Amino acid sequence: MRILGKARWICISILAVLLTGCTNAIPDMSDEHLQMVEEYAAQLLLEYHAGYEASVLTEEEIAEEEADLIRRAEILAQIQAEREQDMAEAETDADGAEGEGDGNGEAEVVPEVLYTDIDEFFGLTDLEINFESIEVCRSYPTDTVDNDWQGMAMATGNNMLVAFEFSVANVSGSDYTLDMAQLDAGFALVINDEMTKSPLTTMLFNDFCMYRGVIPAGESITNVMLIELSEEDAAAITDVNLVMRMAGVRAETTLMQNGGF
């Protein structure tokens, strides 16, 4: 009964945050994205309850896990709103570059795109971040095991998830705490120079856009960005650029070109 009570308390707290939003949240998330977030939260809590019951975590570790779940729920709405805004701004920039002129019938010179590595752009000098793989699937991760209660992302309708996996290596001589949410970073993925997609908001613990954790010295972890595409569009991916934004600065890095990376 004590375990069930704790799980219910966490679920109520998370859903309350998702429905009301945190103090600084932008209350313009679409109904579709809000439903996806609620589904992720509900599934995560079901998995959490199973893992909690079978685990041998200490009371202190359990409390830390509970606090992390609540914290993640509090920032989900804000992150999704900011990602949608980044995508809208990227599309607006692209439209403006195509249609604007200098008033004399001549097109304005479009500024050269700044290309840089992910770790360099965000000033993460102790880390080395590299794109490793792409996977098209109905749900992610695809290799879940019993008592793995980190949650799962599911594609909606007849769509597919496209998972972009990154290795994040700690190349310093000491443990490193990475907090992407604190960086206030924005991302968008440009597919085949035709469409721009913001990464999905998920409850995955290795969601790169909102990852927070300690990476031991000399070790690496795998983080992921997810987008959702039709099965036809997902199968036709050949070129992918990652757009990065922080503090009003925009840059890109190439993840795939002509089907290779």
Side-chain angles (χ1 to χ4, degrees), residues 104-173:
N104 297 318
E106 297 182 2
E108 291 184 354
V109 176
V110 179
E112 185 177 353
V113 176
L114 172 64
Y115 284 90
T116 184
D117 292 336
I118 300 172
D119 44 274
E120 290 180 356
F121 179 74
F122 292 110
L124 303 173
T125 56
D126 291 329
L127 302 179
E128 187 172 298
I129 303 173
N130 293 302
F131 175 59
E132 291 291 332
S133 65
I134 180 174
E135 182 175 8
V136 177
C137 49
R138 283 286 303 163
S139 61
Y140 185 92
T142 58
D143 57 349
T144 55
V145 296
D146 292 341
N147 290 333
D148 181 0
W149 41 277
Q150 71 158 324
M152 177 183 291
M154 304 284 293
T156 60
N158 295 322
N159 293 328
M160 303 294 288
L161 293 179
V162 183
F164 298 90
E165 292 186 329
F166 300 82
S167 67
V168 184
N170 181 354
V171 295
S172 72

Side-chain angles (χ1 to χ4, degrees), residues 194-251:
E194 296 176 351
M195 67 181 78
T196 301
K197 303 288 289 186
S198 289
L200 296 175
T201 299
T202 79
M203 295 290 282
L204 299 173
F205 286 176
N206 66 333
D207 185 330
F208 181 65
C209 301
M210 59 181 295
Y211 179 81
R212 186 180 190 277
V214 176
I215 306 174
E219 296 189 14
S220 64
I221 60 172
T222 298
N223 279 348
V224 67
M225 286 186 195
L226 298 177
I227 62 172
E228 188 174 71
L229 295 175
S230 69
E231 187 171 359
E232 180 181 3
D233 287 340
I237 295 176
T238 58
D239 299 88
V240 181
N241 276 11
L242 175 66
V243 178
M244 304 170 287
R245 293 177 184 269
M246 186 177 68
V249 181
R250 180 184 185 276

Side-chain angles (χ1 to χ4, degrees), residues 66-124:
E66 292 172 355
D68 189 50
L69 291 176
I70 298 300
R71 170 190 167 277
R72 286 172 177 273
E74 288 174 347
I75 62 176
L76 278 175
Q78 177 72 17
I79 288 177
Q80 181 59 42
E82 290 174 353
R83 291 177 186 171
E84 291 179 352
Q85 183 177 356
D86 285 338
M87 184 175 68
E89 290 176 356
E91 292 174 348
T92 300
D93 291 344
D95 293 340
E98 292 174 1
E100 292 181 358
D102 61 5
N104 297 318
E106 297 182 2
E108 291 184 354
V109 176
V110 179
E112 185 177 353
V113 176
L114 172 64
Y115 284 90
T116 184
D117 292 336
I118 300 172
D119 44 274
E120 290 180 356
F121 179 74
F122 292 110
L124 303 173

